[in-house]
Amino acid sequence: FHGSYNHNYHFLTMNDLYWEYDGNAKGNPNLKPEIGYSTEIGLSYDKKYTAFEHNLSATIFYSKIQDWILWQYDFDENLNKLIWFPENLKNVERKGIEFSLENNYHLNGIQFINNINYQYVRAENKFEENIIDQTKNKQLIYVPENLINASLSILYKKYGLHFFYNFIDKRYTTSSNTDYLRAYQLFNVKVSRGFKFNQNLLDLQLGISNLTNEDYQVISGRPMPRRIISMTLKYRFLQK
């Protein structure tokens, strides 16, 4: 069993305040710092056997923030164009639940490591500017309601085979929740081989990102790379 309660004060950054206009974004010197509180409560369960161990946890969280700082793509009247700039949202409520499961299994010299994480989040603006305001009780922009991350690693001696999966739910791009980016999922795979070199470690990795060649965007109007094949070489110095 675990729980926490915190008062939060978010200091303004120099970028938030004074980012010089670059044709696409600018800071806002009139921002106020974020003030609020957050709390969470959860349960966790651990079990170990001779060749198997797992951990299961569930957490409920809630936070209330005044003057939430949010960078958004909106119309700037002085520049007469759409740009990115930060604004304060008067009252934001963020709540949700998170589940995680981790398994570690050994069989005939082979190790299997599996992780699964799920998160559900509602982050809503609770302040209404006027009677025609359409943003109250709407999900904040670029905050997905559902997130899933999963991985599986299979290790044998100096060899490794790794699978990764990510699901990102749809994300609204307007405060009124009228426009959004569709949900997407990514599959990545990687193989690795370790070598010992002059008492240090050399790790060779070959990976494929976005295995299914998914067409997706993290930010509206900016397509992300499709399938990528990469090779990585890591050299680690070991302390004597």
Side-chain angles (χ1 to χ4, degrees), residues 129-144:
E129 293 283 353
N130 50 58
I131 59 174
I132 62 172
D133 188 1
Q134 300 182 30
T135 66
K136 185 179 180 181
N137 296 327
K138 299 298 177 62
Q139 184 84 342
L140 297 188
I141 62 172
Y142 292 105
V143 178

mmCIF file with all atom_site columns, all heavy atoms in Angstrom, residues 129-144:
data_model
loop_
_atom_site.group_PDB
_atom_site.id
_atom_site.type_symbol
_atom_site.label_atom_id
_atom_site.label_alt_id
_atom_site.label_comp_id
_atom_site.label_asym_id
_atom_site.label_entity_id
_atom_site.label_seq_id
_atom_site.pdbx_PDB_ins_code
_atom_site.Cartn_x
_atom_site.Cartn_y
_atom_site.Cartn_z
_atom_site.occupancy
_atom_site.B_iso_or_equiv
_atom_site.pdbx_formal_charge
_atom_site.auth_seq_id
_atom_site.auth_comp_id
_atom_site.auth_asym_id
_atom_site.auth_atom_id
_atom_site.pdbx_PDB_model_num
ATOM 1   N N   . GLU A 1 129 ? -14.789 30.947 -19.381 1.00 0.00 ? 129 GLU A N   1
ATOM 2   C CA  . GLU A 1 129 ? -14.541 32.378 -19.583 1.00 0.00 ? 129 GLU A CA  1
ATOM 3   C C   . GLU A 1 129 ? -15.844 33.166 -19.705 1.00 0.00 ? 129 GLU A C   1
ATOM 4   O O   . GLU A 1 129 ? -15.985 34.245 -19.156 1.00 0.00 ? 129 GLU A O   1
ATOM 5   C CB  . GLU A 1 129 ? -13.695 32.583 -20.849 1.00 0.00 ? 129 GLU A CB  1
ATOM 6   C CG  . GLU A 1 129 ? -12.268 32.054 -20.748 1.00 0.00 ? 129 GLU A CG  1
ATOM 7   C CD  . GLU A 1 129 ? -11.380 32.966 -19.933 1.00 0.00 ? 129 GLU A CD  1
ATOM 8   O OE1 . GLU A 1 129 ? -11.842 34.067 -19.572 1.00 0.00 ? 129 GLU A OE1 1
ATOM 9   O OE2 . GLU A 1 129 ? -10.232 32.582 -19.653 1.00 0.00 ? 129 GLU A OE2 1
ATOM 10  N N   . ASN A 1 130 ? -16.809 32.615 -20.445 1.00 0.00 ? 130 ASN A N   1
ATOM 11  C CA  . ASN A 1 130 ? -18.096 33.272 -20.654 1.00 0.00 ? 130 ASN A CA  1
ATOM 12  C C   . ASN A 1 130 ? -19.117 32.212 -21.065 1.00 0.00 ? 130 ASN A C   1
ATOM 13  O O   . ASN A 1 130 ? -18.797 31.018 -21.150 1.00 0.00 ? 130 ASN A O   1
ATOM 14  C CB  . ASN A 1 130 ? -17.985 34.387 -21.709 1.00 0.00 ? 130 ASN A CB  1
ATOM 15  C CG  . ASN A 1 130 ? -17.289 33.905 -22.974 1.00 0.00 ? 130 ASN A CG  1
ATOM 16  O OD1 . ASN A 1 130 ? -17.735 32.952 -23.604 1.00 0.00 ? 130 ASN A OD1 1
ATOM 17  N ND2 . ASN A 1 130 ? -16.186 34.552 -23.336 1.00 0.00 ? 130 ASN A ND2 1
ATOM 18  N N   . ILE A 1 131 ? -20.329 32.638 -21.328 1.00 0.00 ? 131 ILE A N   1
ATOM 19  C CA  . ILE A 1 131 ? -21.402 31.671 -21.598 1.00 0.00 ? 131 ILE A CA  1
ATOM 20  C C   . ILE A 1 131 ? -21.235 30.959 -22.943 1.00 0.00 ? 131 ILE A C   1
ATOM 21  O O   . ILE A 1 131 ? -21.859 29.918 -23.174 1.00 0.00 ? 131 ILE A O   1
ATOM 22  C CB  . ILE A 1 131 ? -22.783 32.359 -21.542 1.00 0.00 ? 131 ILE A CB  1
ATOM 23  C CG1 . ILE A 1 131 ? -22.864 33.496 -22.575 1.00 0.00 ? 131 ILE A CG1 1
ATOM 24  C CG2 . ILE A 1 131 ? -23.072 32.879 -20.152 1.00 0.00 ? 131 ILE A CG2 1
ATOM 25  C CD1 . ILE A 1 131 ? -24.250 34.109 -22.659 1.00 0.00 ? 131 ILE A CD1 1
ATOM 26  N N   . ILE A 1 132 ? -20.407 31.511 -23.813 1.00 0.00 ? 132 ILE A N   1
ATOM 27  C CA  . ILE A 1 132 ? -20.205 30.849 -25.111 1.00 0.00 ? 132 ILE A CA  1
ATOM 28  C C   . ILE A 1 132 ? -18.894 30.057 -25.140 1.00 0.00 ? 132 ILE A C   1
ATOM 29  O O   . ILE A 1 132 ? -18.510 29.514 -26.173 1.00 0.00 ? 132 ILE A O   1
ATOM 30  C CB  . ILE A 1 132 ? -20.229 31.873 -26.272 1.00 0.00 ? 132 ILE A CB  1
ATOM 31  C CG1 . ILE A 1 132 ? -19.093 32.898 -26.132 1.00 0.00 ? 132 ILE A CG1 1
ATOM 32  C CG2 . ILE A 1 132 ? -21.575 32.562 -26.345 1.00 0.00 ? 132 ILE A CG2 1
ATOM 33  C CD1 . ILE A 1 132 ? -18.957 33.814 -27.343 1.00 0.00 ? 132 ILE A CD1 1
ATOM 34  N N   . ASP A 1 133 ? -18.203 30.026 -23.998 1.00 0.00 ? 133 ASP A N   1
ATOM 35  C CA  . ASP A 1 133 ? -16.959 29.271 -23.905 1.00 0.00 ? 133 ASP A CA  1
ATOM 36  C C   . ASP A 1 133 ? -17.240 27.781 -24.096 1.00 0.00 ? 133 ASP A C   1
ATOM 37  O O   . ASP A 1 133 ? -18.080 27.211 -23.406 1.00 0.00 ? 133 ASP A O   1
ATOM 38  C CB  . ASP A 1 133 ? -16.319 29.526 -22.538 1.00 0.00 ? 133 ASP A CB  1
ATOM 39  C CG  . ASP A 1 133 ? -14.926 28.919 -22.441 1.00 0.00 ? 133 ASP A CG  1
ATOM 40  O OD1 . ASP A 1 133 ? -14.472 28.320 -23.434 1.00 0.00 ? 133 ASP A OD1 1
ATOM 41  O OD2 . ASP A 1 133 ? -14.305 29.038 -21.371 1.00 0.00 ? 133 ASP A OD2 1
ATOM 42  N N   . GLN A 1 134 ? -16.521 27.151 -25.033 1.00 0.00 ? 134 GLN A N   1
ATOM 43  C CA  . GLN A 1 134 ? -16.729 25.735 -25.335 1.00 0.00 ? 134 GLN A CA  1
ATOM 44  C C   . GLN A 1 134 ? -15.604 24.850 -24.807 1.00 0.00 ? 134 GLN A C   1
ATOM 45  O O   . GLN A 1 134 ? -15.469 23.700 -25.217 1.00 0.00 ? 134 GLN A O   1
ATOM 46  C CB  . GLN A 1 134 ? -16.850 25.536 -26.852 1.00 0.00 ? 134 GLN A CB  1
ATOM 47  C CG  . GLN A 1 134 ? -17.994 26.289 -27.490 1.00 0.00 ? 134 GLN A CG  1
ATOM 48  C CD  . GLN A 1 134 ? -18.088 26.018 -28.986 1.00 0.00 ? 134 GLN A CD  1
ATOM 49  O OE1 . GLN A 1 134 ? -17.723 24.954 -29.472 1.00 0.00 ? 134 GLN A OE1 1
ATOM 50  N NE2 . GLN A 1 134 ? -18.574 26.995 -29.732 1.00 0.00 ? 134 GLN A NE2 1
ATOM 51  N N   . THR A 1 135 ? -14.773 25.374 -23.889 1.00 0.00 ? 135 THR A N   1
ATOM 52  C CA  . THR A 1 135 ? -13.619 24.609 -23.428 1.00 0.00 ? 135 THR A CA  1
ATOM 53  C C   . THR A 1 135 ? -13.814 23.994 -22.044 1.00 0.00 ? 135 THR A C   1
ATOM 54  O O   . THR A 1 135 ? -13.018 23.148 -21.638 1.00 0.00 ? 135 THR A O   1
ATOM 55  C CB  . THR A 1 135 ? -12.361 25.501 -23.400 1.00 0.00 ? 135 THR A CB  1
ATOM 56  O OG1 . THR A 1 135 ? -12.517 26.530 -22.408 1.00 0.00 ? 135 THR A OG1 1
ATOM 57  C CG2 . THR A 1 135 ? -12.132 26.145 -24.758 1.00 0.00 ? 135 THR A CG2 1
ATOM 58  N N   . LYS A 1 136 ? -14.854 24.403 -21.320 1.00 0.00 ? 136 LYS A N   1
ATOM 59  C CA  . LYS A 1 136 ? -15.048 23.861 -19.978 1.00 0.00 ? 136 LYS A CA  1
ATOM 60  C C   . LYS A 1 136 ? -15.370 22.369 -20.034 1.00 0.00 ? 136 LYS A C   1
ATOM 61  O O   . LYS A 1 136 ? -16.126 21.910 -20.875 1.00 0.00 ? 136 LYS A O   1
ATOM 62  C CB  . LYS A 1 136 ? -16.175 24.609 -19.252 1.00 0.00 ? 136 LYS A CB  1
ATOM 63  C CG  . LYS A 1 136 ? -16.338 24.175 -17.803 1.00 0.00 ? 136 LYS A CG  1
ATOM 64  C CD  . LYS A 1 136 ? -17.445 24.964 -17.099 1.00 0.00 ? 136 LYS A CD  1
ATOM 65  C CE  . LYS A 1 136 ? -17.587 24.510 -15.659 1.00 0.00 ? 136 LYS A CE  1
ATOM 66  N NZ  . LYS A 1 136 ? -18.662 25.238 -14.942 1.00 0.00 ? 136 LYS A NZ  1
ATOM 67  N N   . ASN A 1 137 ? -14.735 21.615 -19.125 1.00 0.00 ? 137 ASN A N   1
ATOM 68  C CA  . ASN A 1 137 ? -14.907 20.160 -19.020 1.00 0.00 ? 137 ASN A CA  1
ATOM 69  C C   . ASN A 1 137 ? -14.426 19.414 -20.256 1.00 0.00 ? 137 ASN A C   1
ATOM 70  O O   . ASN A 1 137 ? -14.827 18.268 -20.490 1.00 0.00 ? 137 ASN A O   1
ATOM 71  C CB  . ASN A 1 137 ? -16.374 19.797 -18.738 1.00 0.00 ? 137 ASN A CB  1
ATOM 72  C CG  . ASN A 1 137 ? -16.859 20.314 -17.406 1.00 0.00 ? 137 ASN A CG  1
ATOM 73  O OD1 . ASN A 1 137 ? -16.093 20.391 -16.444 1.00 0.00 ? 137 ASN A OD1 1
ATOM 74  N ND2 . ASN A 1 137 ? -18.129 20.691 -17.344 1.00 0.00 ? 137 ASN A ND2 1
ATOM 75  N N   . LYS A 1 138 ? -13.564 20.044 -21.032 1.00 0.00 ? 138 LYS A N   1
ATOM 76  C CA  . LYS A 1 138 ? -12.994 19.394 -22.211 1.00 0.00 ? 138 LYS A CA  1
ATOM 77  C C   . LYS A 1 138 ? -11.556 18.949 -21.919 1.00 0.00 ? 138 LYS A C   1
ATOM 78  O O   . LYS A 1 138 ? -10.837 19.579 -21.134 1.00 0.00 ? 138 LYS A O   1
ATOM 79  C CB  . LYS A 1 138 ? -12.999 20.355 -23.414 1.00 0.00 ? 138 LYS A CB  1
ATOM 80  C CG  . LYS A 1 138 ? -14.398 20.823 -23.818 1.00 0.00 ? 138 LYS A CG  1
ATOM 81  C CD  . LYS A 1 138 ? -15.274 19.667 -24.265 1.00 0.00 ? 138 LYS A CD  1
ATOM 82  C CE  . LYS A 1 138 ? -16.689 20.122 -24.599 1.00 0.00 ? 138 LYS A CE  1
ATOM 83  N NZ  . LYS A 1 138 ? -16.746 21.080 -25.713 1.00 0.00 ? 138 LYS A NZ  1
ATOM 84  N N   . GLN A 1 139 ? -11.163 17.863 -22.562 1.00 0.00 ? 139 GLN A N   1
ATOM 85  C CA  . GLN A 1 139 ? -9.812  17.330 -22.391 1.00 0.00 ? 139 GLN A CA  1
ATOM 86  C C   . GLN A 1 139 ? -8.788  18.336 -22.901 1.00 0.00 ? 139 GLN A C   1
ATOM 87  O O   . GLN A 1 139 ? -8.979  18.971 -23.944 1.00 0.00 ? 139 GLN A O   1
ATOM 88  C CB  . GLN A 1 139 ? -9.685  16.007 -23.152 1.00 0.00 ? 139 GLN A CB  1
ATOM 89  C CG  . GLN A 1 139 ? -8.356  15.299 -22.987 1.00 0.00 ? 139 GLN A CG  1
ATOM 90  C CD  . GLN A 1 139 ? -8.280  14.455 -21.736 1.00 0.00 ? 139 GLN A CD  1
ATOM 91  O OE1 . GLN A 1 139 ? -9.068  14.644 -20.820 1.00 0.00 ? 139 GLN A OE1 1
ATOM 92  N NE2 . GLN A 1 139 ? -7.341  13.517 -21.701 1.00 0.00 ? 139 GLN A NE2 1
ATOM 93  N N   . LEU A 1 140 ? -7.675  18.484 -22.165 1.00 0.00 ? 140 LEU A N   1
ATOM 94  C CA  . LEU A 1 140 ? -6.622  19.379 -22.604 1.00 0.00 ? 140 LEU A CA  1
ATOM 95  C C   . LEU A 1 140 ? -6.014  18.881 -23.905 1.00 0.00 ? 140 LEU A C   1
ATOM 96  O O   . LEU A 1 140 ? -5.973  17.674 -24.181 1.00 0.00 ? 140 LEU A O   1
ATOM 97  C CB  . LEU A 1 140 ? -5.522  19.486 -21.546 1.00 0.00 ? 140 LEU A CB  1
ATOM 98  C CG  . LEU A 1 140 ? -5.918  20.069 -20.186 1.00 0.00 ? 140 LEU A CG  1
ATOM 99  C CD1 . LEU A 1 140 ? -4.669  20.277 -19.336 1.00 0.00 ? 140 LEU A CD1 1
ATOM 100 C CD2 . LEU A 1 140 ? -6.682  21.377 -20.332 1.00 0.00 ? 140 LEU A CD2 1
ATOM 101 N N   . ILE A 1 141 ? -5.532  19.805 -24.703 1.00 0.00 ? 141 ILE A N   1
ATOM 102 C CA  . ILE A 1 141 ? -4.959  19.434 -25.990 1.00 0.00 ? 141 ILE A CA  1
ATOM 103 C C   . ILE A 1 141 ? -3.710  18.578 -25.799 1.00 0.00 ? 141 ILE A C   1
ATOM 104 O O   . ILE A 1 141 ? -2.947  18.759 -24.855 1.00 0.00 ? 141 ILE A O   1
ATOM 105 C CB  . ILE A 1 141 ? -4.635  20.682 -26.848 1.00 0.00 ? 141 ILE A CB  1
ATOM 106 C CG1 . ILE A 1 141 ? -3.592  21.560 -26.176 1.00 0.00 ? 141 ILE A CG1 1
ATOM 107 C CG2 . ILE A 1 141 ? -5.899  21.468 -27.141 1.00 0.00 ? 141 ILE A CG2 1
ATOM 108 C CD1 . ILE A 1 141 ? -3.090  22.689 -27.060 1.00 0.00 ? 141 ILE A CD1 1
ATOM 109 N N   . TYR A 1 142 ? -3.539  17.624 -26.701 1.00 0.00 ? 142 TYR A N   1
ATOM 110 C CA  . TYR A 1 142 ? -2.386  16.725 -26.759 1.00 0.00 ? 142 TYR A CA  1
ATOM 111 C C   . TYR A 1 142 ? -2.235  15.847 -25.524 1.00 0.00 ? 142 TYR A C   1
ATOM 112 O O   . TYR A 1 142 ? -1.136  15.326 -25.256 1.00 0.00 ? 142 TYR A O   1
ATOM 113 C CB  . TYR A 1 142 ? -1.091  17.509 -27.020 1.00 0.00 ? 142 TYR A CB  1
ATOM 114 C CG  . TYR A 1 142 ? -1.051  18.112 -28.404 1.00 0.00 ? 142 TYR A CG  1
ATOM 115 C CD1 . TYR A 1 142 ? -1.249  19.473 -28.603 1.00 0.00 ? 142 TYR A CD1 1
ATOM 116 C CD2 . TYR A 1 142 ? -0.851  17.308 -29.525 1.00 0.00 ? 142 TYR A CD2 1
ATOM 117 C CE1 . TYR A 1 142 ? -1.239  20.029 -29.868 1.00 0.00 ? 142 TYR A CE1 1
ATOM 118 C CE2 . TYR A 1 142 ? -0.832  17.850 -30.794 1.00 0.00 ? 142 TYR A CE2 1
ATOM 119 C CZ  . TYR A 1 142 ? -1.032  19.206 -30.967 1.00 0.00 ? 142 TYR A CZ  1
ATOM 120 O OH  . TYR A 1 142 ? -1.033  19.755 -32.228 1.00 0.00 ? 142 TYR A OH  1
ATOM 121 N N   . VAL A 1 143 ? -3.301  15.655 -24.760 1.00 0.00 ? 143 VAL A N   1
ATOM 122 C CA  . VAL A 1 143 ? -3.281  14.737 -23.625 1.00 0.00 ? 143 VAL A CA  1
ATOM 123 C C   . VAL A 1 143 ? -4.179  13.547 -23.962 1.00 0.00 ? 143 VAL A C   1
ATOM 124 O O   . VAL A 1 143 ? -5.405  13.675 -23.939 1.00 0.00 ? 143 VAL A O   1
ATOM 125 C CB  . VAL A 1 143 ? -3.765  15.408 -22.330 1.00 0.00 ? 143 VAL A CB  1
ATOM 126 C CG1 . VAL A 1 143 ? -3.763  14.391 -21.179 1.00 0.00 ? 143 VAL A CG1 1
ATOM 127 C CG2 . VAL A 1 143 ? -2.896  16.607 -21.986 1.00 0.00 ? 143 VAL A CG2 1
ATOM 128 N N   . PRO A 1 144 ? -3.615  12.378 -24.295 1.00 0.00 ? 144 PRO A N   1
ATOM 129 C CA  . PRO A 1 144 ? -4.450  11.219 -24.631 1.00 0.00 ? 144 PRO A CA  1
ATOM 130 C C   . PRO A 1 144 ? -5.109  10.644 -23.384 1.00 0.00 ? 144 PRO A C   1
ATOM 131 O O   . PRO A 1 144 ? -4.522  10.650 -22.301 1.00 0.00 ? 144 PRO A O   1
ATOM 132 C CB  . PRO A 1 144 ? -3.447  10.229 -25.241 1.00 0.00 ? 144 PRO A CB  1
ATOM 133 C CG  . PRO A 1 144 ? -2.140  10.592 -24.610 1.00 0.00 ? 144 PRO A CG  1
ATOM 134 C CD  . PRO A 1 144 ? -2.175  12.080 -24.395 1.00 0.00 ? 144 PRO A CD  1
#
